[in-house]
Amino acid sequence: ETGVTQTPRHLVMGMTNKKSLKCEQHLGHNAMYWYKQSAKKPLELMFVYNFKEQTENNSVPSRFSPECPNSSHLFLHLHTLQPEDSALYLCASSHGQGTNTEAFFGQGTRLTVV
Amino acid sequence: AQKVTQAQTEISVVEKEDVTLDCVYETRDTTYYLFWYKQPPSGELVFLIRRNSFDEQNEISGRYSWNFQKSTSSFNFTITASQVVDSAVYFCALSTFMEYGNKLVFGAGTILRVKS
């Protein structure tokens, strides 16, 4: 069982669809993250959750809506996306408050918006 | 603002050659953390090393070694006797102290191709 698991691995959706990405971590961490990796941009932090509370929103458009029901699960709800939102979406987790330990990443969801 | 520069977009070597991946960072904070990650074709980022700003000791782990120099704001990564399995994208990253969690700023990555 891997530390951070993301589903689905691949997703194709139309611009009018609503879909959700799921992330689950089995590492006992308290902080979880969404990162976006586009073809021509460095990895970008989207959201940070610490003990289920959102502590960072990196100016992400509202068509991306995160949800963190508990410290082990993180979702990214998607609606009315644009083709430029096609990217690899990576989830990560780490120890939380007061530490700067390394983050562990999932394998990502490859999203294609058509 | 924090910034990480990986000037080498792509490097190709032949198996058993040594290769060094460069990383230069910018930050005004006195306490910060540097990381290297490996991204194989499967997509996940694999953690390789973390270094604290107050610890300039170089580190060696098997065929991997890291050279941290605050004077030049560099944190370079060397693979000795490279192997085909080392082929991947390598990312250098920086984070500064946050009260909650971790906020990584990544470089653009260096694609390493090791040919047999």
Side-chain angles (χ1 to χ4, degrees):
Chain A
E1 186 176 77
T2 57
V4 181
T5 305
Q6 290 186 242
T7 54
R9 292 292 310 281
H10 300 273
L11 178 63
V12 179
M13 60 185 289
M15 288 189 284
T16 58
N17 291 160
K18 288 185 180 181
K19 296 286 184 184
S20 295
L21 310 185
K22 179 183 175 183
C23 176
E24 184 174 359
Q25 60 96 2
H26 307 279
L27 300 168
H29 290 158
N30 298 313
M32 295 189 77
Y33 314 80
W34 281 114
Y35 281 85
K36 176 182 178 182
Q37 186 176 25
S38 305
K40 297 183 179 179
K41 283 186 172 183
L43 275 146
E44 301 173 87
L45 177 67
M46 299 175 73
F47 301 103
V48 180
Y49 277 82
N50 193 68
F51 288 95
K52 302 188 300 178
E53 299 299 320
Q54 188 180 118
T55 55
E56 184 91 13
N57 177 338
N58 199 21
S59 303
V60 180
S62 60
R63 57 186 184 270
F64 295 91
S65 174
E67 179 191 359
C68 189
N70 55 61
S71 292
S72 298
H73 293 86
L74 183 65
F75 295 89
L76 187 62
H77 304 300
L78 315 170
H79 63 99
T80 59
L81 294 192
Q82 304 298 313
E84 59 264 29
D85 296 322
S86 299
L88 180 68
Y89 289 85
L90 289 158
C91 173
S93 70
S94 75
H95 291 294
Q97 187 171 356
T99 70
N100 279 81
T101 58
E102 54 274 17
F104 290 87
F105 286 78
Q107 289 186 301
T109 295
R110 175 72 62 186
L111 174 68
T112 303
V113 181
V114 297
Chain B
Q2 288 81 43
K3 184 180 177 182
V4 176
T5 301
Q6 293 180 256
Q8 302 150 310
T9 305
E10 186 170 337
I11 301 175
S12 289
V13 298
V14 177
E15 214 171 11
K16 298 185 183 177
E17 284 185 15
D18 298 347
V19 58
T20 295
L21 309 180
D22 298 332
C23 174
V24 174
Y25 61 91
E26 295 175 30
T27 180
R28 293 185 178 179
D29 293 287
T30 54
T31 300
Y32 53 89
Y33 305 83
L34 296 163
F35 304 81
W36 275 96
Y37 283 87
K38 173 182 179 180
Q39 188 177 39
S42 54
E44 81 277 21
L45 281 135
V46 178
F47 166 74
L48 296 177
I49 189 171
R50 178 183 78 143
R51 244 333 172 223
N52 306 328
S53 56
F54 43 87
D55 181 3
E56 280 193 78
Q57 272 193 333
N58 291 329
E59 179 146 343
I60 298 175
S61 175
R63 297 184 297 106
Y64 295 169
S65 63
W66 290 270
N67 184 342
F68 176 27
Q69 293 199 341
K70 287 178 78 170
S71 60
T72 56
S73 298
S74 65
F75 186 43
N76 296 338
F77 172 31
T78 297
I79 301 174
T80 303
S82 60
Q83 301 177 0
V84 173
V85 293
D86 295 327
S87 297
V89 184
Y90 289 86
F91 292 95
C92 181
L94 165 73
S95 82
T96 53
F97 180 77
M98 271 178 67
E99 187 175 355
Y100 300 103
N102 198 330
K103 183 175 177 177
L104 291 167
V105 174
F106 284 88
T110 297
I111 300 170
L112 175 64
R113 302 189 197 280
V114 182
K115 301 175 184 177
S116 58

